[in-house]
Amino acid sequence: MTLEDKLIDLNNMILKGEILQSMDKYYHPDCVVIEKNDVVAKGLQQAKDRESSVFEGVEAWLKSEIKSTAVGENVTMTEWHFEYKHKEYGHKNFDQVAVQHWKDGKIMSDRFYALY
């Protein structure tokens, strides 16, 4: 499976709402997740816990759309558009770029750049 194949599968899992399953499949146990220049999770379990806590408050998922993707040497990127209603954060409608750095077939770091 090529890196491009893995990115396509990862993104399809996300589009189907299989986010935690995609993390189990593709994230390295020692991964880091970075948002707004801060490490927000260290390790797969912490990354999954963080993702779960965000989705607990989602009242309605309105849209997930891939705008573009790119694949380089051990790096992948996806430009997303998301829209949802959250009980704490209100109506969220934004674009985000996710950049993954891969090692040995797994994501070692996942960095999010969001435009709100």
Side-chain angles (χ1 to χ4, degrees):
M1 184 179 258
T2 68
L3 193 56
E4 183 176 11
D5 293 335
K6 289 179 181 185
L7 179 63
I8 290 168
D9 187 45
L10 172 69
N11 286 344
N12 283 334
M13 291 179 80
I14 292 168
L15 286 169
K16 291 189 279 184
E18 300 170 352
I19 295 164
L20 297 179
Q21 296 90 329
S22 74
M23 295 174 84
D24 282 330
K25 186 172 184 178
Y26 289 112
Y27 279 51
H28 189 278
D30 298 324
C31 67
V32 294
V33 178
I34 303 163
E35 199 170 294
K36 297 181 184 174
N37 294 323
D38 294 321
V39 173
V40 295
K42 290 182 181 180
L44 176 58
Q45 190 57 55
Q46 196 175 63
K48 287 174 61 178
D49 291 347
R50 182 178 182 281
E51 204 64 29
S52 292
S53 69
V54 170
F55 282 96
E56 283 176 3
V58 173
E59 297 176 318
W61 198 268
L62 305 172
K63 191 174 200 177
S64 296
E65 178 183 17
I66 295 171
K67 297 177 142 259
S68 64
T69 60
V71 178
E73 190 167 328
N74 294 316
V75 63
T76 57
M77 299 174 210
T78 302
E79 180 185 14
W80 291 92
H81 176 75
F82 294 117
E83 186 176 358
Y84 59 90
K85 292 182 182 177
H86 193 279
K87 65 182 173 187
E88 288 181 44
Y89 311 131
H91 185 226
K92 304 296 281 182
N93 185 8
F94 64 98
D95 293 328
Q96 174 177 282
V97 176
V99 180
Q100 299 89 21
H101 290 272
W102 299 71
K103 182 179 177 184
D104 300 326
K106 297 285 186 175
I107 296 169
M108 288 301 298
S109 72
D110 201 357
R111 187 169 189 171
F112 298 98
Y113 301 88
L115 301 170
Y116 295 101

